[in-house]
Amino acid sequence: PNPNPNPNPNPNPNPGAMAAAPPLYLGVDLGGTNCRAALVRDTGVIMHVLREGLDGREFGVVVAQIHRLAELVLAEKGLGWGHIRAIGIGGPGLCRNGTIVGAANFPSWHDVPLASAVRGRCGNRPTYLVNDADAAVEAEAWVGAAATHKLQHVVLISLGTGVGTGAIAGGRLLQGSRACIEGGHVLCEPGGRRCPCGQRGCAEAYSSARAIKERYGEKGGEVGVDAREIFRRAKEGEALAAETVQEAIEMIARMCINISRVLDPEAFVFSGGISGLGEPFLERIRARFQELRWTVLPDEQQFLLASVGADSGIIGAAGAARRAIAERRYLPCEVSDAALQTEDVSAEADANPDSKADPNPSPDPNPNPNPSPRPNPSPKPPA
């Protein structure tokens, strides 16, 4: 053996033709009042982010603003569209096949093709659209609580103004036939309070921040007190506040039981403003779940707090795009394998000029440098 081996041998005979740099993704978080765009590394780490209040709610205005923010993010890092592998958008409302079917914060939007419009303005990069709850669960699965605990089956419950849910099954985002999985609208009290969705007795009608505020007033409490203050009063022993909080916990536990019987997740991950109450709040949900669950079989679901935080929309949207690329899924534009390979080469070439492919490849390359001569065909027998 060589007595002085190279401690860091380079097996590449052409050091200039190194592999392309790890891809970057553009994550966009479109909210009801603001828009954020960020460069996200392949590891789920945000490289650079910008935020603006919305210029308006018209579709064309929003698309133009997303494009401008994206261009600014790239320019501030000296990058171009060739460095972006894909774009992910976390949008409001019902998002299906790259289209926002409808959203309360954008009342004039009906079946608007947001993904294709953004793709057309933003370097023609593959673009993927998910709603905000799906983006949040994608973030937790990629770099958050689900990733930390190595979980493949997770339901995220976002407790805010409403109750949103997102689900990962077998390591993949679960969206159903119409991208319309809404766990906050399972019936927990049939014939109960009217929910904004039109049903009666939804979990959201009792356990969202808005519902807790309303229920406290309906029970005779001070009108206009927000959910966090009601939780504080309950902790200090006020009976009416404690009753309102316990009702919310009851409905969340029932929702988790119903979801468990259908999706059988390994864990529930809680996000949103109410989840900021922390582990004591989570423990009360966990305890009530154990009282309600079946006894014929074990229930081993974990109850976890989300860990990604305020950037979950951006990171999750980028993660959804990253997953779509890995699974050869493009929405809403159908892209063939040949086109995908072309984009792969283009992205690598733009990120690393030394690794550009031969612009005039042989149509029938032979990888063998010393091919054996082909045998002559047998001569025809004489007539």
Side-chain angles (χ1 to χ4, degrees), residues 323-345:
R323 187 191 298 273
I325 291 293
E327 296 174 358
R328 298 298 201 256
R329 289 185 292 113
Y330 285 76
L331 296 176
C333 309
E334 293 184 0
V335 179
S336 67
D337 286 343
L340 175 64
Q341 291 165 7
T342 300
E343 290 191 340
D344 285 341
V345 171

Side-chain angles (χ1 to χ4, degrees), residues 246-331:
Q246 185 55 43
E247 180 181 66
I249 288 170
E250 175 72 21
M251 297 306 173
I252 295 169
R254 290 182 188 180
M255 174 177 60
C256 291
I257 288 287
N258 292 335
I259 292 173
S260 291
R261 297 292 79 84
V262 177
L263 297 183
D264 189 29
E266 297 170 283
F268 291 98
V269 177
F270 289 84
S271 69
I274 297 178
S275 70
L277 295 165
E279 189 60 37
F281 173 68
L282 209 61
E283 178 54 39
R284 293 181 67 180
I285 298 173
R286 186 185 295 117
R288 185 56 181 151
F289 178 92
Q290 289 299 320
E291 292 172 353
L292 293 174
R293 73 173 184 84
W294 61 13
T295 57
V296 66
L297 292 171
D299 263 323
E300 300 175 348
Q301 285 84 359
Q302 299 179 61
F303 289 75
L304 307 171
L305 292 172
S307 62
V308 176
D311 292 326
S312 63
I314 286 178
I315 294 173
R322 178 177 179 267
R323 187 191 298 273
I325 291 293
E327 296 174 358
R328 298 298 201 256
R329 289 185 292 113
Y330 285 76
L331 296 176

Side-chain angles (χ1 to χ4, degrees), residues 67 81-82 84-87 115-127 330 333 335 343 346:
H67 171 244
W81 286 113
I84 300 299
R85 188 66 189 88
I87 301 167
S116 61
V118 169
R119 176 171 183 154
R121 297 288 295 270
C122 295
N124 202 35
R125 305 315 296 157
T127 304
Y330 285 76
C333 309
V335 179
E343 290 191 340
S346 174

Side-chain angles (χ1 to χ4, degrees), residues 135-153:
V137 76
E138 282 276 13
E140 294 297 328
W142 188 13
V143 295
T148 299
H149 292 268
K150 296 180 172 57
L151 304 175
Q152 293 291 302
H153 303 269

